[in-house]
Amino acid sequence: MTARGGPAWDTWLVAGAAGVAGLPALHAAVPNGAGRLGSLLETFLPWPGAAVPVLVALALYARSRVGLLACAAPALVWCWMFGGLWFSPSPGPHDLTVVQHNVADDNADPAGTARALLAPGAGLVAVQELTAAARPRYEEVLGASHPHRAVQGTVGLWSAWPLSDVRPVDIRPAGFPASWRRALRATVSAPGGPVAVYVVHLPSVRLGPTGLASAARDESAALLGARIAADPAGRLLVVGDLNGTVWDRGLRPLTAHLDAPGTGFAFSWPSALPVARIDQVLGRGVEVTRVSALEATGSDHLPVLGRVRLP
């Protein structure tokens, strides 16, 4: 390469590459005090890697060997952290599948959404933002092939197999009314043996001028995490809209007790241009081998399909 940009280009490219590599690699060091900046970064953690091709293009334009070499650092960091999700081979056989979907309380086509959720042939269908007005439509469509159901407040579970020990789970943050019911637990008599299934919808987060407002969600996650830790079930699934990614430290009191899928980014929100997976299928004593996003419905979330292997 002949010189075009000079030392200034080398300096800026090296600095840019260091930043793009450092943000995901050192995300835990970003403080989470005012503005929840750490959680905000962890919501979009894979995306700094999108800057690598830009840096490479700039290095080629500037004919900077130093810049090109520097680009290797963020590329390697991205592959180390996320390559398994992107490049992993097929996860192999599974014993059951579950569809998870925040169907949206303003969904104009609940029947069509319900039919879309049945299309993958999953044995379990979990939904959130289930309204009283829309519930009969979901019951009519889902009930034909999934006759066993559990509904608590605005969350529901439809199953092809019998359900038992169905109960609400109180994950209300302080100050929330008793009418706020967004979690349930049921035992599914799956073909491979019983599995405890939690269907949950954690409080929403908001991004504003002061940063990420996630205190209520974090409190709710801690309450749910304590319930999961105390649950004696040997095989357990947590399925729902957690309003956060598996990397978000605000969910750590919950995710510390669960295993995340080994493959699949499955970005689920927002449906028009998905940039994060906040709809989760997590397990304990089972292996969630893969999650994948499904086609859009009338919701602002995409459904996700989780494949589960039972021990």
Side-chain angles (χ1 to χ4, degrees):
M1 284 185 185
T2 58
R4 174 183 277 161
W9 274 93
D10 293 346
T11 300
W12 282 109
L13 288 167
V14 169
V20 172
L23 277 175
L26 303 175
H27 66 91
V30 177
N32 211 36
R36 296 291 206 277
L37 293 179
S39 284
L40 180 60
L41 170 62
E42 288 155 351
T43 299
F44 306 103
L45 198 57
W47 287 103
V52 175
V54 177
L55 290 171
V56 170
L58 289 173
L60 290 172
Y61 171 79
R63 298 176 181 172
S64 170
R65 291 189 178 90
V66 171
L68 279 176
L69 288 173
C71 291
L76 290 172
V77 166
W78 195 93
C79 289
W80 167 58
M81 295 184 66
F82 310 112
L85 293 173
W86 186 260
F87 299 113
S88 289
S90 171
H94 55 270
D95 299 297
L96 63 87
T97 52
V98 54
V99 167
Q100 146 61 26
H101 192 30
N102 180 327
V103 296
D105 55 13
D106 59 353
N107 193 323
D109 185 18
T113 296
R115 287 191 291 271
L117 299 184
L118 290 178
L124 298 173
V125 177
V127 300
Q128 298 81 43
E129 295 199 11
L130 181 67
T131 66
R135 178 175 168 178
R137 305 284 78 75
Y138 288 101
E139 290 180 341
E140 179 182 2
V141 177
L142 298 176
S145 55
H146 294 64
H148 310 283
R149 72 174 183 269
V151 176
Q152 293 290 337
T154 58
V155 300
L157 175 68
W158 273 261
S159 173
W161 309 292
L163 302 175
S164 61
D165 193 22
V166 176
R167 49 187 143 147
V169 179
D170 189 357
I171 58 170
R172 289 175 300 151
F176 279 50
S179 59
W180 193 91
R181 293 180 295 151
R182 295 189 1 181
L184 67 81
R185 182 198 186 278
T187 299
V188 178
S189 297
V195 181
V197 178
Y198 285 76
V199 181
V200 300
H201 185 191
L202 298 189
S204 299
V205 300
R206 294 289 183 267
L207 180 61
T210 59
L212 195 69
S214 63
R217 185 210 60 183
D218 296 352
E219 183 181 349
S220 190
L223 292 170
L224 181 58
R227 291 293 299 266
I228 297 299
D231 195 311
R235 299 191 295 190
L236 182 149
L237 283 171
V238 173
V239 184
D241 176 4
L242 302 189
N243 273 305
T245 68
V246 293
W247 302 291
D248 189 333
R249 72 191 70 179
L251 299 183
R252 198 167 296 156
L254 170 62
T255 55
H257 304 290
L258 301 164
D259 296 319
T263 59
F265 278 107
F267 295 140
S268 64
W269 178 88
S271 60
L273 183 64
V275 295
R277 186 175 81 242
I278 62 176
D279 297 274
Q280 308 293 351
V281 180
L282 307 173
R284 187 188 75 192
V286 301
E287 183 184 2
V288 183
T289 59
R290 188 178 190 88
V291 289
S292 51
L294 304 177
E295 294 296 321
T297 68
S299 170
D300 58 339
H301 292 238
L302 295 180
V304 298
L305 173 70
R307 296 167 176 83
V308 182
R309 184 179 299 148
L310 303 179

